[in-house]
């Protein structure tokens, strides 16, 4: 088939082809970036926290009057929790992964001369118990804290500062990127003017309470500190399959321990995940809806324009059929014509997609658009264009010559 007659026909009637090409270009630019943002948001929401999310809960209490013996209260509570059947491990903790609030420290530097750091902020977990056992973390290097490692901090007199720490693999790689092992290394929490803290262990991962986008989501450390705060948060890990029942027993046990505090609530880390990533899932859902809507609008536009072209060229189609053109020739004519228009729109759409992605990278700190997404969207637009024009083209090819050339 000659391309020149098709091109000549389109140049004589520019408006409709230009509108379709513009629609294809705009749809490609938006859909391509939307698909990548959807994938990025869903991947962010699916990041593992490092904890046994389904079997670990936090339970929080707040005193409604002064607690005279905070340390004794914590010890009695822990003894009572561990006595509940089905409890695997428990710990007093100042925060939990994905909890959305908690303590942080920064910058974290590795020498007294260093002012800036790759770790400007790190989540600071502390507990007088094993958070590795209670959260279900994976220790990949070094050891957990021993009984003699823990120190006691009174918030009215002291500030949190551990002599040793367990850090995440991500934090270790950020601070010492060229080191195979970081055991025994010293770091300075909050800047070079503070006392050094020795790294004695590395866990595979543990997300921060805020779980920010990027590598900083796993910049976390654990300090062996008993913090004498009357506000209490206990992390409890239970046997799988009976978590809700066991936590209900833990709640009853703690409420029976004392009447000078109120229960603020309890939740699993999995429930904390749902709250933390609700925004990412909502954004992904909205973008999916926008993408589907745009594709439907584009397909409808192509169908409408193709139907209009068929009606305007019925006599031309009839003449071609009368002089020997087959149905396949007519069908192929419209498909090639649509392919040329769609290709022109795709070429413009690629430029728009790259420009839009550059804007998103600059304004929203999103990652660069991979070339694979451009190729996938291009193929999708070609298929969409051909499928949308197939119906009108088939109807045009089926018009009998006698009817198509009738003038009245």
């Amino acid at each position: 088939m000659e391309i020149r007659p098709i091109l000549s026909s389109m140049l004589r009637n520019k408006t409709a082809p230009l509108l379709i090409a513009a629609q294809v270009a705009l749809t490609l630019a938006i859909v391509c970036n939307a698909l990548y943002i959807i994938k990025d948001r869903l991947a962010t929401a699916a990041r593992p926290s490092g904890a046994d999310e389904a079997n670990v809960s936090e339970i929080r209490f707040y005193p409604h009057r002064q607690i005279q013996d905070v340390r004794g209260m914590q010890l009695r509570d822990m003894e009572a929790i561990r006595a509940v059947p089905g409890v695997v491990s428990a710990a007093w903790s100042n925060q939990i992964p994905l909890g959305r609030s908690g303590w942080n420290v920064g910058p974290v530097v590795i020498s007294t001369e260093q002012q800036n750091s790759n770790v400007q902020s790190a989540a600071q977990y502390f507990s007088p118990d094993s958070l590795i056992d209670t959260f279900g973390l994976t220790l990949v290097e070094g050891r957990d804290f021993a009984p003699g490692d823990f120190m006691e901090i009174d918030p009215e007199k002291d500030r949190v500062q551990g002599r040793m720490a367990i850090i995440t693999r991500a934090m270790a790689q950020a601070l010492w990127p060229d080191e195979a092992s970081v055991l025994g290394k010293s770091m300075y929490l909050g800047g070079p003017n503070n006392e050094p803290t020795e790294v004695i262990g590395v866990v595979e991962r543990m997300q921060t309470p805020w779980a920010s986008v990027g590598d900083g989501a796993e910049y976390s450390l654990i300090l062996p500190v008993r913090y004498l705060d009357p506000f209490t948060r206990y992390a409890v890990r239970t046997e799988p399959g009976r978590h809700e029942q066991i936590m209900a027993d833990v709640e009853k046990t703690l409420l029976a321990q004392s009447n000078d505090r109120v229960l603020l609530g309890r939740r699993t880390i999995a429930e904390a995940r749902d709250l933390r990533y609700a925004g990412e899932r909502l954004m992904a859902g909205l973008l999916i809806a926008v993408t589907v809507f745009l594709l439907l609008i584009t397909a409808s536009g192509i169908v409408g324009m193709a139907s209009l072209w068929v009606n305007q060229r019925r006599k031309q189609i009839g003449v071609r059929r009368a002089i020997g053109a087959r149905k396949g020739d007519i069908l192929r004519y419209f498909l090639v014509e649509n392919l040329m228009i769609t290709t022109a729109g795709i070429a413009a759409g690629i430029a728009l997609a790259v420009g839009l992605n550059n804007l998103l990278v600059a304004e929203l700190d999103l990652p660069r658009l991979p070339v694979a997404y451009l190729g996938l969207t291009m193929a999708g637009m070609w298929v969409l264009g051909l499928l949308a024009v197939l119906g009108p083209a088939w109807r045009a090819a089926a018009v009998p010559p006698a009817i198509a050339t009738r003038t009245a």
Side-chain angles (χ1 to χ4, degrees):
M1 173 179 289
E2 290 287 342
I3 300 297
R4 184 175 298 175
I6 300 176
L7 183 60
S8 177
S9 176
M10 287 193 296
L11 291 176
R12 287 196 299 270
N13 300 279
K14 302 183 185 69
T15 303
L18 285 175
L19 286 175
I20 292 297
Q23 194 172 18
V24 168
L26 185 61
T27 301
L28 185 146
I30 295 175
V31 168
C32 188
N33 282 279
L35 289 176
Y36 187 50
I37 294 173
I38 291 169
K39 178 260 181 185
D40 182 70
R41 294 299 89 189
L42 292 179
T44 298
R47 295 178 303 181
S49 66
D52 182 5
E53 297 180 13
N55 299 306
V56 178
S57 279
E58 67 164 355
I59 184 167
R60 297 172 296 141
F61 292 90
Y62 192 81
H64 57 77
R65 62 188 179 199
Q66 186 174 3
I67 305 296
Q68 297 298 329
D69 182 12
V70 175
R71 185 177 187 275
M73 177 192 69
Q74 292 180 1
L75 292 174
R76 289 190 297 272
D77 286 346
M78 290 304 305
E79 183 179 1
I81 293 172
R82 288 168 178 154
V84 174
V87 170
V88 174
S89 182
W92 183 98
S93 178
N94 66 317
Q95 59 198 26
I96 63 168
L98 303 170
R100 297 191 299 165
S101 66
W103 296 58
N104 71 318
V105 63
V108 180
V109 298
I110 59 174
S111 72
T112 55
E113 292 79 26
Q114 186 180 12
Q115 297 298 323
N116 296 317
S117 170
N118 292 330
V119 181
Q120 286 298 312
S121 177
Q124 188 175 222
Y125 293 82
F126 46 89
S127 173
D129 308 289
S130 173
L131 289 184
I132 291 180
D133 290 342
T134 301
F135 287 160
L137 307 176
T138 301
L139 187 69
V140 295
E141 188 179 9
R143 64 175 179 87
D144 199 352
F145 299 119
D149 296 333
F150 295 97
M151 59 187 301
E152 200 166 275
I153 297 292
D154 185 341
E156 296 183 358
K157 302 176 184 177
D158 310 301
R159 65 188 182 91
V160 177
Q161 180 66 55
R163 299 183 303 270
M164 56 186 65
I166 298 170
I167 65 176
T168 59
R169 190 200 300 270
M171 185 170 169
Q173 291 174 345
L175 291 174
W176 296 280
D178 301 323
E179 297 290 340
S181 174
V182 299
L183 295 183
K185 299 287 186 182
S186 293
M187 56 185 180
Y188 299 83
L189 307 180
N193 296 326
N194 293 319
E195 294 296 319
T197 299
E198 180 187 356
V199 178
I200 67 163
V202 178
V203 293
E204 183 176 7
R205 60 169 50 90
M206 178 171 61
Q207 283 192 1
T208 69
W210 315 279
S212 57
V213 177
D215 295 335
E218 293 188 16
Y219 291 169
S220 303
L221 60 94
I222 306 172
L223 300 176
V225 171
R226 176 181 297 281
Y227 196 66
L228 301 179
D229 188 345
F231 169 81
T232 52
R233 173 187 278 109
Y234 298 113
V236 183
R237 185 181 177 198
T238 68
E239 296 175 354
R242 298 194 300 129
H243 185 76
E244 185 59 31
Q245 174 194 339
I246 296 169
M247 285 307 302
D249 293 340
V250 169
E251 180 181 321
K252 292 177 183 178
T253 300
L254 291 177
L255 287 173
Q257 285 281 102
S258 174
N259 62 358
D260 52 7
R261 57 189 176 181
V262 294
L263 175 68
L264 293 181
R266 61 180 170 90
R267 59 177 175 172
T268 64
I269 297 181
E271 291 170 336
R273 167 184 288 280
D274 289 340
L275 291 174
R276 162 60 187 88
Y277 290 118
E280 276 77 5
R281 291 192 299 272
L282 177 61
M283 178 184 289
L286 289 174
L287 287 175
I288 289 172
V290 168
T291 299
V292 172
F293 179 74
L294 274 174
L295 292 174
L296 289 175
I297 290 296
T298 301
S300 299
I302 295 173
V303 170
M305 285 296 178
S307 298
L308 178 62
W309 298 338
V310 169
N311 290 331
Q312 289 177 342
R313 290 182 281 186
R314 285 170 65 88
K315 185 174 291 188
Q316 175 189 340
I317 295 168
V319 171
R320 291 193 61 196
R321 290 293 309 279
I323 62 176
R326 296 168 298 179
K327 290 184 179 181
D329 297 326
I330 304 300
L331 183 63
R332 187 166 62 251
Y333 178 93
F334 282 103
L335 291 178
V336 171
E337 184 180 61
N338 175 266
L339 187 62
M340 293 171 62
I341 296 171
T342 303
T343 301
I346 286 173
I350 291 174
L352 283 175
V354 173
L356 178 58
N357 182 248
N358 288 336
L359 178 64
L360 293 173
V361 169
E363 298 296 330
L364 302 179
D365 197 28
L366 291 175
R368 291 285 179 185
L369 183 68
V371 177
Y373 278 80
L374 287 172
L376 179 65
T377 312
M378 287 167 56
M381 294 308 299
W382 270 316
V383 172
L384 178 67
L386 291 175
L387 290 177
V389 82
L390 191 59
W394 185 263
R395 289 194 298 272
V399 175
I403 295 177
T405 55
R406 186 180 299 170
T407 59

